[in-house]
Amino acid sequence: MTIAMGAPPPTHNTPVALARGFLTGGVVGASLAALVVGGIVESVPLFVSGLVLPAVYGLLFYLAGMPRRAREAAVVPRTALALIESLEAVGGESSDVPVRFGLTVVPDDGAAYRVDITQDINLVDLHDYRPRGVLVVQYPQDRPWRVRIVKRPTPEWEDRAASARLDPVPGAARAAEPPEGCALGAVALLGLLLGAAAVVLLFRADLFGREDTAKPPPAARPSVSSTSSTTVVSSASGTVTLGPGRSFLDQGELERALGSLTEGGDTRRALTLVVQERLLSVVFAPSGTQAPGFAPRALPYGRFPALVEEAMAGLGVDPPRTWQVTADRLTGSLTVRVVVTGPQGAASLEANGQGKVVRRAPAR
C-alpha cells in the first residue's frame, strides 16, 4: 500500500530568500546598466565595474553559502532501491550524456514515491540502464526529491539490487521541489529595475548632457522602433529589445537582431555581447584602440539555443527561471558563457568560439 506524501510547504519566500533575490536582481540590473552606460559615456572605470560587480557578488554569495552547504554535507544521506520507469537522453556532446530518469523510489522504512531526475551517465555505462531495471539511489532525508543514482554501491546494496524484484506502485506520491510562488520573482525583478535605475540616475548628467551638447557621430544611426522590437545603435553600443511573446531562443531572432546592429557593412569589433530572453546588448570597442574585441557576426549564435537548452536540462537547475549568454575575449580567446538560475542557485557552462562546450559548473 502506498501512503500519499503531503505536498511540502513553500520554503523559498522566507525573508532571507526574498532579500537574497532582491539583492541578486539589483546586482544584475546594476552590472548590465554599468556596461551599457559605461560604453555610451566612454567611462572605463564604470564599464569595468559592470564586469567586476557580478564576479564579486558571486564570490560573496558562494562564501555566504558555505556554512549551509557544510550542514547539508554533514547529513548522512538515505540509501534505497529504485525502479527505472523511464529514461531519455536529453543531449550532450561529451562522454557524459545527461539522461532524464523517471524513478519509483522504495525506501526500506517509508512509502514509495515517484521522482524525475536528470543525471550525467557515461556513454560506456549507458547500456546498463534500462526500463524496469533496479538501481541503488541516495537522497537527503529532508529533501527526498534530490535523488542521485549511486554508480558504485557497496557490495551489500549491489547484491540487493541484483536480486530485487520491484513492481511499479500505482498512484505513488510524487516528490518535487517546494513551489516558489511569485513573490521571489517579483522582488528579483524589482531589484533589477532599481539597480539599473540607480546607475542611470547617477550618470544622468553624462548621458543626457552628452546628447544635448555633442553632435551625433558619423557612425551613429537613428533608433528604429516597431511594435515587435526596438533597436538602438550608437558609436559605442547597440541594444535590441524584443516585444512581448518573443524570445531570442526563437529561430532566426538572434540572427536578425545582430544583422540590425551591423547593417551597412559595419565592421566594428565588440568588447562584450550579452543575450537574455528579450534583450540583446553589444558594447563596441572604441575606434583606434587595441582592446581584445571580436567580430559579432563571427559568434556561433546558431548554437546559442542549444547551449541554453543544455544548461537548463543538464546542470541541476530545475526548474530554470532565467538565463543569460555572455560573449567576450577578456581571457584572450573568444568565450561564450551561459548562466541559468533556479531554485537550487546558479549553474553555468562555457563554450569556445565554435560553440563547443569546454567547461560545466552544475548548481550546488
Side-chain angles (χ1 to χ4, degrees):
M1 179 178 67
T2 302
I3 302 174
M5 300 170 62
T11 58
H12 297 283
N13 290 338
T14 62
V16 174
L18 293 176
R20 186 168 57 241
F22 178 82
L23 186 58
T24 300
V27 170
V28 172
S31 62
L32 289 176
L35 289 173
V36 175
V37 174
I40 294 175
V41 303
E42 299 181 358
S43 171
V44 174
L46 180 60
F47 183 83
V48 173
S49 298
L51 298 174
V52 173
L53 180 60
V56 173
Y57 176 75
L59 177 62
L60 294 177
F61 189 86
Y62 175 80
L63 295 176
M66 289 182 65
R68 174 182 57 82
R69 290 191 294 272
R71 290 194 302 269
E72 293 176 354
V75 177
V76 179
R78 299 185 65 178
T79 305
L81 297 179
L83 178 68
I84 301 177
E85 300 283 359
S86 63
L87 72 162
E88 177 188 4
V90 293
E93 298 180 355
S94 63
S95 59
D96 290 334
V97 179
V99 179
R100 182 179 293 118
F101 290 90
L103 303 176
T104 292
V105 181
V106 185
D108 289 342
D109 55 353
Y113 62 93
R114 288 289 302 273
V115 66
D116 295 326
I117 67 169
T118 300
Q119 185 165 335
D120 288 348
I121 302 297
N122 194 280
L123 284 172
V124 177
D125 302 326
L126 193 58
H127 67 278
D128 294 334
Y129 300 90
R130 299 185 179 90
R132 316 300 302 162
V134 178
L135 302 171
V136 180
V137 298
Q138 287 185 337
Y139 58 90
Q141 185 170 356
D142 57 340
R143 288 161 298 179
W145 56 87
R146 285 199 177 177
V147 174
R148 305 303 294 170
I149 297 172
V150 181
K151 298 180 180 179
R152 293 177 178 80
T154 62
E156 176 187 356
W157 279 100
E158 190 172 7
D159 292 341
R160 289 187 59 180
S163 60
R165 296 294 182 269
L166 303 180
D167 295 324
V169 182
R174 182 173 294 274
E177 181 83 8
E180 288 187 6
C182 59
L184 186 60
V187 297
L189 177 61
L190 178 63
L192 186 147
L193 296 176
L194 291 178
V199 173
V200 173
L201 289 175
L202 285 174
F203 292 89
R204 63 186 184 277
D206 295 329
L207 280 171
F208 302 111
R210 182 187 182 92
E211 291 182 358
D212 293 339
T213 59
K215 294 182 178 180
R221 294 188 292 272
S223 301
V224 179
S225 301
S226 69
T227 57
S228 58
S229 65
T230 302
T231 302
V232 179
V233 184
S234 72
S235 61
S237 66
T239 60
V240 178
T241 306
L242 296 181
R246 298 171 64 185
S247 168
F248 277 115
L249 296 183
D250 295 337
Q251 185 175 6
E253 286 288 1
L254 192 54
E255 290 90 331
R256 285 191 292 270
L258 285 171
S260 68
L261 294 179
T262 58
E263 63 184 4
D266 194 337
T267 59
R268 287 180 296 171
R269 299 174 66 81
L271 289 176
T272 184
L273 178 143
V274 179
V275 185
Q276 294 177 300
E277 185 72 28
R278 292 167 50 196
L279 177 65
L280 166 65
S281 301
V282 181
V283 176
F284 296 109
S287 302
T289 65
Q290 300 298 320
F294 59 93
R297 286 186 174 274
L299 288 172
Y301 47 79
R303 286 276 299 146
F304 283 12
L307 293 174
V308 173
E309 180 65 23
E310 179 177 347
M312 288 182 171
L315 297 181
V317 179
D318 186 22
R321 280 202 313 265
T322 62
W323 61 268
Q324 177 175 302
V325 179
T326 304
D328 58 52
R329 283 192 58 193
L330 299 178
T331 59
S333 59
L334 182 60
T335 302
V336 178
R337 299 179 183 85
V338 181
V339 179
V340 295
T341 60
Q344 294 84 6
S348 64
L349 61 79
E350 290 186 10
N352 58 20
Q354 288 73 46
K356 183 177 180 181
V357 178
V358 297
R359 186 177 296 106
R360 295 177 176 84
R364 299 185 183 277

